[in-house]
Amino acid sequence: MEDKSRVIIIREDTFLKGEIRNAGRIEVFGYIEGDVFTDKLIVQQGGRCFGRIKAGSAEVHGQLQGEIHVREVINIRATGDVAGNVKYGKLGMDLGGSLTAEVRNIPPSISGDLDLSVDRGRTARITLQDLSALDPDDRAEDLTFTVSEVLNGYVVLASDPAQAVANFTQADLEQGSVLFHHDGTGAERAGFAVVVADRAGAMSNVAQVNVAVRPGR
């Protein structure tokens, strides 16, 4: 019987960076990046797993890339995509599955709840919980956000809060330097659209950041 205390589920809305050791089974529906050591790894369709992976066995319906060592069998299903330095005991591959030694550039994606609040006419800090970029093969300073469709305010950097900016980096977000300034209008909603690009020019989908406007104090 499987030990439930050693089962880890990475859900669709979960983005995890770090290290997991001594897991019995890891099932990935969302995003995981880092060192992963488990008896069994299952990457579901839409799931993404990047890093240094050591597993007893693996079943891949989604995306798996990095330094991968599977002691027994790795099964790559029809929607599975495995890339990197891959070592395995046995290989099973469905028609449509992909296995390559070429480490590909991973396009960035946007995470966060994409919601924040600001007092009317005031400024609010945009935190990593609000907005962040995910990219396992680029540094924070090489991930550049582009702002568009700004409504009832503007994005600024803490170093010059009077000057609206159209671009900032993941490093700026990590330093707490990115702010949204409300323009003081009476509307209850504000916000902006954003896209992030990596150093190679690969881009995420456009995301909409919603800003709730509280009455001024």
Side-chain angles (χ1 to χ4, degrees):
M1 182 177 294
E2 186 175 48
D3 183 355
K4 298 298 184 181
S5 67
R6 298 181 63 226
V7 175
I8 298 174
I9 307 295
I10 310 298
R11 302 190 182 280
E12 290 91 337
D13 58 351
T14 299
F15 305 92
L16 177 64
K17 292 186 178 183
E19 181 180 282
I20 299 177
R21 290 184 176 272
N22 299 320
R25 173 167 59 94
I26 298 175
E27 194 162 355
V28 182
F29 294 87
Y31 179 103
I32 182 170
E33 177 186 334
D35 292 345
V36 175
F37 303 92
T38 180
D39 294 340
K40 184 174 184 179
L41 174 66
I42 304 173
V43 184
Q44 297 288 2
Q45 187 171 357
R48 295 175 292 164
C49 183
F50 307 108
R52 188 161 63 103
I53 315 298
K54 290 187 178 181
S57 63
E59 183 173 328
V60 184
H61 301 263
Q63 188 173 11
L64 176 65
Q65 177 163 302
E67 294 284 332
I68 303 161
H69 184 194
V70 179
R71 293 190 307 274
E72 299 172 9
V73 181
I74 180 170
N75 285 305
I76 305 174
R77 300 307 186 189
T79 55
D81 185 354
V82 178
N85 182 9
V86 185
K87 299 178 181 179
Y88 50 84
K90 294 182 180 179
L91 170 66
M93 184 181 298
D94 292 351
L95 182 65
S98 173
L99 172 64
T100 176
E102 178 186 357
V103 176
R104 309 184 187 96
N105 179 52
I106 306 297
S109 57
I110 291 176
S111 68
D113 58 24
L114 305 179
D115 276 297
L116 63 144
S117 299
V118 64
D119 292 333
R120 183 170 288 116
R122 300 289 184 130
T123 301
R125 191 177 310 279
I126 302 173
T127 70
L128 293 175
Q129 182 177 344
D130 303 321
L131 176 67
S132 188
L134 297 173
D135 192 319
D137 50 19
D138 280 280
R139 299 175 302 173
E141 55 266 37
D142 295 325
L143 296 170
T144 302
F145 290 84
T146 298
V147 177
S148 63
E149 302 177 16
V150 185
L151 175 67
N152 298 328
Y154 44 91
V155 177
V156 302
L157 294 177
S159 58
D160 188 2
Q163 179 64 47
V165 297
N167 302 101
F168 57 87
T169 67
Q170 174 70 12
D172 293 327
L173 281 170
E174 292 179 0
Q175 293 162 10
S177 300
V178 187
L179 315 172
F180 182 83
H181 182 77
H182 184 251
D183 61 8
T185 57
E188 296 181 354
R189 305 296 301 178
F192 57 94
V194 68
V195 64
V196 61
D198 66 15
R199 183 174 52 181
M203 301 180 70
S204 70
N205 292 329
V206 177
Q208 182 68 41
V209 179
N210 299 303
V211 181
V213 182
R214 298 183 294 247
R217 296 176 181 175

